Amino acid sequence: PRRRCPDPTMASPPPPSGAGGPEPPLQYSLLLQHLVGEQRRPRAWDPAALGGIPSPPKSEEQKVVERAMESCAFKAALACVGGFVLGGAFGVFTAGIDTNVGFDPKDPYRTPTAKEVLKDMGQRGISYAKNFAIVGAMFSCTECMVESYRGKSDWKNSVISGCITGGAIGFRAGLKAGVIGCGGFAAFSAAIDYYLR
């Protein structure tokens, strides 16, 4: 019997992909590594590239103003003014709901005049305003100094500054009152900081 010769087209190997043949299939695992995997490159946030308004460079005057506003003295002064206003409003409010405002302890049966009531309300408002302003300035200045010393901005700054402020205020009445004031003001500061954060 005659042997048949093999077909030359069947025996030839497929051409390599670089020689103009078909490309290898896309591997989705490599694609996913570049999209969400370890080889993903984070994109820098640039508002100008997204059509936003580019911010111009800050002048030297703006930098000086920013440094002044971030200083401990400015923060203490701002807290002092805020405490004065809040304390004055609180004092006037408590005087308004107090039934003994304007009454003379020597003559409790005499009805006070409107001028006497307003005078007592003003005196109580000024007293509360001074106390709130002192406490606010002490707390803000202490917190700023503690934050500058530690180099961190967390809840511990509020607790430490609250303890120092409460201890300094309560220490005027004795050591025991200073310790109680330290603990109470620290706990109050921690609760306010937790609520605000």
Side-chain angles (χ1 to χ4, degrees), residues 138 160-175 177-186:
M138 284 178 62
I160 294 171
S161 56
C163 180
I164 294 173
T165 305
I169 293 172
F171 191 69
R172 295 181 297 177
L175 181 60
V179 172
I180 294 174
C182 171
F185 215 104

Side-chain angles (χ1 to χ4, degrees), residues 1 34 37 68 75 112 128-129 143 148 174 187:
H34 286 282
K75 290 180 180 179
Y128 274 67
E143 185 180 25
S148 300

